[in-house]
Amino acid sequence: MLPRTMTAPEGTGTYDVVIVGGGHNGLVAAAYLARAGRSVLVLERLDHTGGAAVSTRPFAGVDARLSRYSYLVSLLPGKIVSDLGLDFRLRTRSISSYTPTVRDGRPTGLLVGGGEERTRAAFARLTGSDREYEAWRRFYALTGRVAERVFPTLTEPLPTREALRRAVDDETAWRTLFEEPIGVAVEDHFSDDLVRGVVLTDALIGTFADAHDPSLAQNRCFLYHVIGGGTGAWDVPVGGMGALTDALADAARAAGAVLATGHEAIRVDTDGRRAEVAYRTADGEGVAAARHVLVNASPQALAALTGDTPPHPAEGAQLKVNMLLERLPRLRDTSVDPREAFAGTFHIAEGYGQLAAAHAQAAAGKLPEAPPSEIYCHSLTDPGILGPDLAARGFHTLTLFGLHTPARLFEQDNDATREQLLAATLAQLDAHLAEPLADCLARDADGRPCLEARTPLDLEHDLGLPGGNIFHRELSWPHAQEGTGRWGVETRHANVLLCGAGAVRGGGVSGVPGHNAAMAVLEAGDG
């Protein structure tokens, strides 16, 4: 085995497995395979590993380490953390969400979290009775039962649809999540527009769909947002998302994998038993031979490497904004402490009717008049991402994720449309603040506001995401379908596997496709 190094050997090398892409799934696969005694080379185009799961200091001269792209963890199985001995921790959020609104001319809102009685009281204060809260409890008891049964299957061979249905063992839950548009259940369970919207948002994160879309793309998105860890909880990675990928890189290197940054794979040739991966660096080109190739990239990138016909890309539909504040802004709703409101998910313009209107406007080729989005503050749960001076002075991060802004809206002029959308999005937030957000923004070493906005086209440029789609393509059901193979990572080439977010049961920071591709290689038993 070649020595562990961050640069690949010159010329031609031979390995059991070559992994294209050093994002978190590629690192998971590398660590599993190297620990099993396989020789592994990871080729990463950028000068660092981690892909979209990285922590960076995006603002010049400012000691704040933000999760620049992906930012929360739910779908990462504890099995992977345990199997690989990762030095990685998560912290729970005491507040799940806060959604501001105006009722009878008075600023108010819905705070979910802080204990059952407090949440019940918040529902009653908003709606005038306990009915919505009881409906909330029944609905999430249903999704909880599904989560307990479905989440453990993600690191097992793909069950058939009928096997998964038997595992769920609840025909009402199966119909609600797997057969009828999620809008049916939302409208059947809840009557308050704001409560309906809070529930629906989990079906729309990164997915451009209506609540009643017959494709059920929104159902698949909702399912992955409520099954994580068997509970649906979304937790904060201590040290930022880069802490996870740093731990994975350390585990892979410690097991003997070679991580080669600045090495861009340009072609994969295979006869189904042996493969060669051509790559280029700043100094030239090379070829690595292997029994197996794992591609931790999009299905479009896989097709480009193998010369196959690319699938139709599913466009992304989100705005991602990173901010650093000198202080948290005061709220118009004075009954809520900003430190609680921003600690969970702060919903903006995400009433049920608002979400429907935004989708209809975007589908018609227009930016939403009231862009829906949600914000959370990482530094309230994990202040260690800030330098000691910033933390002592009360600085905080904010991460905003906007919905219903498909890539097509940015094609004519990405820069101008980004600025227009950002202004409209922040105006929706400002409507619920007692002071403009701009007054709270910190400034970098050059005097510029600490704010960074990324559109789907920016994400395509930065990370190679097709159309800026954070899932690489439409999410799949977590069961076997025609052509999915035993693990959901197989391709038409017997020894080339897809281990990125575009694999079946991919999407989100989970490591599941990486784990499953490694298991498929080990099952083959020829390395």
Side-chain angles (χ1 to χ4, degrees):
M1 185 176 293
L2 293 164
R4 286 171 282 145
T5 175
M6 287 303 292
T7 58
E10 296 181 1
T12 302
T14 300
Y15 301 83
D16 295 322
V17 183
V18 171
I19 300 174
V20 176
H24 82 281
N25 278 306
L27 296 172
V28 167
Y32 270 106
L33 291 167
R35 286 165 66 94
R38 305 301 196 265
S39 58
V40 180
L41 170 66
V42 178
L43 298 173
E44 169 52 51
R45 172 179 63 90
L46 301 176
D47 63 359
H48 60 271
T49 57
V54 293
S55 299
T56 60
R57 292 177 173 82
F59 307 123
V62 179
D63 189 11
R65 195 164 183 258
L66 280 64
S67 297
R68 194 170 196 178
Y69 301 108
S70 57
Y71 52 98
L72 288 171
V73 176
S74 177
L75 292 164
L76 175 67
K79 168 183 168 53
I80 291 177
V81 177
S82 176
D83 285 351
L84 301 181
L86 302 181
D87 182 12
F88 172 70
R89 292 175 294 130
L90 295 169
R91 287 183 185 159
T92 59
R93 301 184 294 173
S94 60
I95 300 298
S96 175
S97 69
Y98 170 72
T99 309
T101 190
V102 176
R103 294 280 167 95
D104 300 322
R106 177 178 59 86
T108 184
L110 178 64
L111 187 77
V112 179
E116 180 178 347
E117 289 309 310
R118 189 175 183 198
T119 301
R120 180 188 294 274
F123 272 85
R125 186 168 55 250
L126 179 76
T127 66
S129 76
D130 283 343
R131 287 194 298 272
E132 290 293 85
Y133 179 67
E134 292 301 330
W136 180 278
R137 290 187 63 192
R138 289 193 300 273
F139 183 76
Y140 284 106
L142 178 148
T143 65
R145 292 192 296 272
V146 173
E148 289 175 355
R149 293 162 172 79
V150 172
F151 188 70
T153 71
L154 298 187
T155 51
E156 300 172 352
L158 271 171
T160 65
R161 180 180 174 87
E162 283 309 307
L164 190 64
R165 187 173 190 161
R166 289 193 299 271
V168 169
D169 194 27
D170 184 329
E171 284 303 306
T172 298
W174 183 266
R175 183 183 70 253
T176 298
L177 299 182
F178 290 83
E179 294 184 346
E180 293 179 342
I182 194 66
V184 173
V186 173
E187 292 170 17
D188 283 350
H189 279 78
F190 306 100
S191 58
D192 187 272
D193 182 85
L194 184 142
V195 176
R196 286 178 170 182
V198 172
V199 176
L200 182 63
T201 56
D202 277 337
L204 306 178
I205 302 295
T207 297
F208 185 59
D210 181 73
H212 291 276
D213 193 314
S215 75
L216 303 188
Q218 73 280 24
N219 286 48
R220 297 190 292 275
C221 183
F222 184 84
L223 184 69
Y224 284 102
H225 276 89
V226 300
I227 64 172
T231 66
W234 286 81
D235 295 328
V236 176
V238 176
M241 198 62 80
L244 170 60
T245 46
D246 287 349
L248 286 169
D250 289 344
R253 281 195 299 268
V258 177
L259 308 184
T261 57
H263 288 65
E264 180 181 10
I266 55 177
R267 189 179 68 256
V268 174
D269 296 314
T270 179
D271 61 7
R273 293 171 299 176
R274 302 283 298 179
E276 289 187 343
V277 182
Y279 60 85
R280 61 172 163 243
T281 71
D283 299 321
E285 297 187 353
V287 176
R291 292 181 176 89
H292 300 274
V293 176
L294 275 54
V295 178
N296 179 30
S298 69
Q300 283 72 25
L302 169 66
L305 289 168
T306 58
D308 294 330
T309 301
H312 182 71
E315 64 181 340
Q318 69 285 319
L319 175 73
K320 174 71 191 300
V321 184
N322 294 313
M323 293 173 273
L324 181 69
L325 309 183
E326 292 183 344
R327 66 184 184 281
L328 291 175
R330 292 177 289 110
L331 304 177
R332 293 186 64 208
D333 177 7
T334 57
S335 70
V336 178
D337 188 327
R339 290 172 296 182
E340 289 192 312
F342 288 106
T345 300
F346 189 115
H347 296 280
I348 307 161
E350 290 190 334
Y352 198 65
Q354 290 174 307
L355 288 168
H359 179 268
Q361 290 163 1
K366 303 175 183 177
L367 284 177
E369 293 175 8
S373 64
E374 42 201 58
I375 284 179
Y376 104 106
C377 176
H378 186 124
S379 54
L380 283 168
T381 305
D382 174 27
I385 64 169
L386 300 175
D389 178 62
L390 296 182
R393 292 163 59 192
F395 280 51
H396 281 293
T397 64
L398 280 189
T399 293
L400 181 147
F401 193 97
L403 280 62
H404 285 338
T405 55
R408 70 192 81 160
L409 300 181
F410 301 88
E411 290 175 349
Q412 186 170 355
D413 190 332
N414 184 53
D415 291 342
T417 306
R418 184 199 307 111
E419 292 308 308
Q420 182 182 352
L421 174 62
L422 178 63
T425 299
L426 295 183
Q428 291 300 310
L429 172 60
D430 278 349
H432 299 287
L433 303 181
E435 56 184 325
L437 182 71
D439 289 355
C440 302
L441 284 171
R443 294 189 174 269
D444 67 13
D446 300 317
R448 295 171 298 198
C450 291
L451 183 150
E452 174 190 63
R454 313 305 290 161
T455 72
L457 298 190
D458 295 325
L459 295 184
E460 182 173 54
H461 176 268
D462 294 350
L463 301 171
L465 303 181
N469 191 293
I470 60 175
F471 307 129
H472 291 188
R473 60 180 172 188
E474 284 194 0
L475 290 165
S476 62
W477 295 112
H479 57 66
Q481 299 157 74
E482 183 178 355
T484 53
R486 174 171 163 79
W487 286 95
V489 297
E490 294 81 358
T491 74
R492 76 179 192 88
H493 305 283
N495 63 339
V496 178
L497 304 177
L498 179 67
C499 73
V504 178
R505 304 181 289 188
V509 177
S510 71
V512 168
H515 169 276
N516 292 345
M519 296 306 105
V521 170
L522 296 177
E523 276 191 355
D526 56 359

